C-alpha cells in the first residue's frame, strides 16, 4: 500500500475514533441529564453510530400523546457532517419524507445551499448535538416549514385543508400509541 493511502486510512480511522468518543460523551450526558420530550439510546447492536430515538408528542400540539420511534445514524466524520434521522413510526408532516426521513435545515450538509434557499448558518454546524437536533425536530413537528416540503402532499394539505391534515396526524398519534 502506498504511503498516501496508508495516511488516508489512518486519518479516516482517527476521524471515526474521534466521532465515537464525541457520541459516547453525548450519550452519557443525556443519560445523566435527560431532556423532556425525548429519550435516546443505542440500538440493539450497541453501535455508537446508530441510535434509537423516542419522541413524545408535545403538549398542546396535534402530536400530543404520540410516542414516536426514530433512528439517528451518524457518519464516521461526525461532528463535521450531520447524522440522518428517520422516523420508524408512521408520520404525516410536510418536513418528513414518506419513508420517514427528516428534512430540516440543521441536518443538511454544511456550507451554502446550491438552490439558495437556506442560509449556511441554518445548515449543519459541528456545534450541534443530539440534544439540539432533537429539540429542533420537536419544534419542527408543531411548526412545519411548508415553503419547501419534503412531503409535498402533506405540505399542500397543511396549507389548504388543515382539518384533514390534523385528522391524518391524529391517526399517526393513535398508531404510535398502539405500538406500546
Amino acid at each position: 500500500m502506498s504511503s498516501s493511502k496508508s495516511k488516508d486510512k489512518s486519518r479516516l480511522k482517527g476521524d471515526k475514533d474521534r466521532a465515537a468518543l464525541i457520541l459516547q460523551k453525548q450519550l452519557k450526558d443525556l443519560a445523566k441529564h435527560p431532556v423532556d420530550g425525548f429519550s435516546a439510546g443505542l440500538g440493539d447492536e450497541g453501535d455508537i453510530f446508530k441510535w434509537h430515538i423516542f419522541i413524545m408528542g408535545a403538549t398542546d400540539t396535534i402530536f400530543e400523546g404520540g410516542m414516536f420511534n426514530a433512528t439517528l445514524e451518524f457518519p464516521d466524520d461526525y461532528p463535521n457532517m450531520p447524522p440522518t434521522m428517520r422516523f420508524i413510526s408512521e408520520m404525516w408532516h410536510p418536513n418528513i419524507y414518506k419513508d420517514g426521513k427528516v428534512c430540516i435545515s440543521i441536518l443538511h450538509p454544511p456550507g451554502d445551499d446550491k438552490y439558495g434557499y437556506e442560509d449556511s448558518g441554518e445548515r449543519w454546524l459541528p456545534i450541534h448535538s443530539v440534544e439540539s437536533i432533537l429539540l429542533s425536530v420537536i419544534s419542527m413537528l408543531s411548526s412545519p416549514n411548508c415553503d419547501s416540503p419534503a412531503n409535498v402532499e402533506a405540505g399542500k394539505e397543511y396549507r389548504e385543508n388543515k382539518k384533514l391534515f390534523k385528522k391524518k396526524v391524529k391517526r399517526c398519534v393513535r398508531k404510535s400509541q398502539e405500538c406500546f
Side-chain angles (χ1 to χ4, degrees):
M1 184 170 9
S2 75
S3 174
S4 69
K5 283 185 182 178
S6 178
K7 286 179 185 177
D8 286 346
K9 269 189 167 181
S10 177
R11 183 184 51 77
L12 292 174
K13 183 177 178 342
D15 287 349
K16 187 171 184 174
D17 290 345
R18 185 169 39 92
L21 287 172
I22 291 167
L23 290 168
Q24 287 168 351
K25 181 182 181 332
Q26 288 185 23
L27 184 62
K28 186 177 176 182
D29 289 347
L30 285 171
K32 275 186 179 179
H33 309 286
V35 178
D36 286 342
F38 72 86
S39 65
L42 299 185
D44 296 334
E45 320 82 46
D47 182 349
I48 194 67
F49 291 92
K50 294 181 182 176
W51 290 30
H52 180 79
I53 308 299
F54 176 75
I55 293 180
M56 284 123 323
T59 305
D60 298 326
T61 72
I62 59 175
F63 290 92
E64 182 174 7
M67 298 177 271
F68 305 104
N69 287 297
T71 59
L72 263 177
E73 292 195 27
F74 298 88
D76 291 351
D77 56 352
Y78 177 83
N80 294 321
M81 294 300 288
T84 300
M85 183 171 178
R86 184 176 314 275
F87 277 94
I88 298 165
S89 301
E90 183 179 326
M91 296 297 282
W92 185 249
H93 193 279
N95 306 117
I96 300 172
Y97 288 98
K98 290 181 181 182
D99 69 356
K101 185 176 178 186
V102 175
C103 181
I104 188 171
S105 296
I106 67 164
L107 292 180
H108 294 162
D112 293 328
D113 178 10
K114 66 181 178 182
Y115 303 108
Y117 175 73
E118 297 169 329
D119 180 271
S120 62
E122 298 171 306
R123 295 167 70 90
W124 179 257
L125 296 169
I127 60 168
H128 287 297
S129 64
V130 171
E131 181 178 342
S132 67
I133 293 165
L134 296 177
L135 291 173
S136 293
V137 169
I138 290 169
S139 176
M140 174 206 74
L141 288 176
S142 60
S143 301
N145 176 357
C146 292
D147 292 337
S148 65
N151 182 331
V152 175
E153 189 180 341
K156 183 177 183 203
E157 201 169 87
Y158 180 83
R159 286 188 309 272
E160 298 174 6
N161 191 346
K162 279 223 174 99
K163 185 176 179 180
L164 182 57
F165 177 82
K166 288 178 182 182
K167 183 178 178 181
K168 289 182 180 179
V169 169
K170 288 297 182 189
R171 188 178 319 130
C172 292
V173 168
R174 281 191 307 278
K175 278 186 167 183
S176 77
Q177 294 167 338
E178 292 169 4
C179 294
F180 286 88

